[in-house]
Amino acid sequence: QAHLVASGGGSVQSGGSLRLACEFPHYTYNGFCLGWFRQVPGKEPEGIAAVDNTGRKAYAASVKGRFTISQDKASNTLYLNMNNVTEDDTATYHCAEGSGMYYRGGYCTSTGDLSQGTGVTVSA
């Protein structure tokens, strides 16, 4: 599993925007799915956005219409554009590679280790 590094988190007011990035060093794109997960203390990680190796994207209902996943293959970077955030989006965000994808739920399946997280705090 390549070492994944997520960045771009921070504090933002409700209604604002953030852009997260995930670098895949030495990534050769042998996987099927790239995706974003988020986790709050005491709960399991929640898959929120994913893209397969054909470019097909899917999102969890909680973020659909507000978040956009994109990929820059030239730089081996995955992005998550977060718009119109709410306090419910406060979490630690991680990226991961998976060998499958659940399109209806908007997340990668059979993933390797999640990346080091980047924290997002949304205030009222």
Side-chain angles (χ1 to χ4, degrees), residues 15-124:
S17 299
L18 274 178
R19 189 189 199 194
L20 307 184
C22 177
E23 298 177 26
F24 289 79
H26 312 300
Y27 183 54
T28 59
Y29 203 50
N30 289 320
F32 178 78
C33 180
L34 298 173
W36 287 96
F37 294 76
R38 65 186 181 187
Q39 188 172 23
V40 297
K43 292 190 176 181
E44 293 293 314
E46 172 195 16
I48 58 170
V51 56
D52 72 16
N53 60 2
T54 70
R56 183 179 175 184
K57 303 173 183 179
Y59 301 90
S62 58
V63 306
K64 193 172 184 179
R66 302 186 299 119
F67 292 9
T68 302
I69 188 171
S70 62
Q71 180 185 7
D72 182 346
K73 293 185 179 181
S75 63
N76 292 335
T77 305
L78 184 72
Y79 296 100
L80 184 69
N81 286 296
M82 306 168 61
N83 295 316
N84 195 23
V85 297
T86 72
E87 292 176 80
D88 289 339
D89 295 319
T90 295
T92 300
Y93 285 72
H94 307 265
C95 52
E97 177 187 359
S99 58
M101 182 168 165
Y102 181 49
Y103 293 89
R104 181 171 294 182
Y107 57 84
C108 296
T109 59
S110 302
T111 63
D113 293 338
L114 298 183
S115 71
Q116 179 181 355
T118 185
V120 173
T121 301
V122 182
S123 58

